Amino acid sequence: MDNQFLTVDLFGIPWMTVNVPNILLITAAMAIVFFVVFFMTRRIEMYPTGAQNAIEYLVQFIKNIISSTMDWERGKNFFMLGITLILYVFVANMMGVPFELATAGEHYVWWNSPTSNPVLTLSLALFVILLTHYYGIKLKGPKEYGKDYLRPVGFLLPFKLIEEFSNTVTLGMRLFANIYAKEVIIVMLVGLGTSSLFWVFGAFLPLVIFQAFSVFIGSLQAFIFVMLTMVYMAHKVNEEH
């Protein structure tokens, strides 16, 4: 899959290159999350039905994730973070499942899953890791937080610094690799289906099956991203015993 993306140099500076479709797709994912949640929560009733049931299930699901990693009294500070991340990552993963839009010839992509771009996934991972440091310092204090890097013995400090880097890379690359692979396989099946009349029928069933599997992949990766976020957060804010 030889995908290309329209890029522009911001303010004419060559090293400040902006991926235009990715910016649009990131914004579209945010808009979809906002409007879906807005319309699902417009009417809150004592006895929930329909969309409110789905939102309340999601709320309980996130509470369970947080409670499995840390005490709820401390974990409730990260509830909105969990809700936001799981909805955004899920929607971003799903955007490329039903279709991909690209121009003919040079194959400039204008619609796919934005999480198939490592810039977004690594940026999300960096954002999460920075938040863990922020809340670690805020809830434990700078002095106590700094001591965590020297526990149980001081010579582990270099390894703990390496761990911070590896956590950022693996959190972002895990999401990117799974979604990118899903996009590649879908495009290959579509290309196979358009190559001949025989493959129009031969590739249809595998494509439908794999699209259903892609929904599972996208959902699972959203869950894993949020679970790991809370695990890393718990590691920073929990008191050492």
Side-chain angles (χ1 to χ4, degrees):
M1 182 176 63
D2 188 21
N3 282 346
Q4 299 185 67
F5 298 88
L6 178 65
T7 59
V8 296
D9 294 336
L10 196 61
F11 306 119
I13 304 174
W15 55 268
M16 293 185 67
T17 302
V18 176
N19 185 320
V20 177
N22 209 44
I23 295 295
L24 295 176
L25 290 167
I26 290 169
T27 306
M30 290 189 292
I32 291 170
V33 170
F34 173 79
F35 285 111
V36 167
V37 174
F38 174 77
F39 285 111
M40 291 179 73
T41 57
R42 276 195 310 167
R43 298 178 181 177
I44 302 298
E45 300 175 353
M46 182 65 68
Y47 301 101
T49 58
Q52 188 180 337
N53 265 330
I55 289 294
E56 292 196 4
Y57 174 79
L58 180 63
V59 166
Q60 188 59 49
F61 183 68
I62 296 299
K63 288 181 69 175
N64 291 340
I65 291 176
I66 296 172
S67 298
S68 69
T69 59
M70 68 188 90
D71 180 75
W72 176 246
E73 283 303 310
R74 181 153 290 191
K76 65 185 179 182
N77 295 294
F78 317 116
F79 173 72
M80 290 308 300
L81 172 65
I83 286 282
T84 303
L85 281 177
I86 200 166
L87 286 174
Y88 180 78
V89 174
F90 174 76
V91 168
N93 291 349
M94 293 298 106
M95 288 173 66
V97 172
F99 60 89
E100 176 182 295
L101 293 180
T103 59
E106 295 181 332
H107 202 75
Y108 280 104
V109 176
W110 284 95
W111 183 277
N112 67 346
S113 295
T115 41
S116 65
N117 188 315
V119 174
L120 173 59
T121 59
L122 288 172
S123 298
L124 280 174
L126 180 61
F127 166 74
V128 164
I129 299 301
L130 290 176
L131 273 182
T132 64
H133 292 298
Y134 169 77
Y135 279 106
I137 294 171
K138 180 180 179 180
L139 297 178
K140 300 173 76 171
K143 185 177 180 180
E144 187 65 24
Y145 180 75
K147 288 181 180 179
D148 286 344
Y149 284 89
L150 304 174
R151 293 188 177 114
V153 287
F155 71 78
L156 289 178
L157 174 62
F159 299 98
K160 292 196 173 186
L161 294 178
I162 293 172
E163 181 185 24
E164 299 296 336
F165 173 77
S166 63
N167 285 345
T168 305
V169 174
T170 55
L171 183 63
M173 292 305 291
R174 179 187 292 104
L175 178 59
F176 157 70
N178 281 276
I179 303 306
Y180 179 75
K182 176 260 296 181
E183 302 261 304
V184 169
I185 294 173
I186 288 179
V187 171
M188 288 175 62
L189 287 172
V190 171
L192 190 63
T194 57
S195 61
S196 68
L197 183 61
F198 171 77
W199 285 113
V200 167
F201 301 99
F204 177 75
L205 184 58
L207 178 61
V208 171
I209 294 173
F210 190 78
Q211 282 185 310
F213 184 61
S214 296
V215 174
F216 169 74
I217 293 173
S219 305
L220 180 62
Q221 290 306 311
F223 164 73
I224 291 173
F225 193 91
V226 174
M227 174 60 80
L228 289 176
T229 295
M230 296 307 162
V231 169
Y232 296 154
M233 189 68 76
H235 181 67
K236 297 299 184 185
V237 304
N238 282 345
E239 298 291 343
E240 295 288 341
H241 296 289

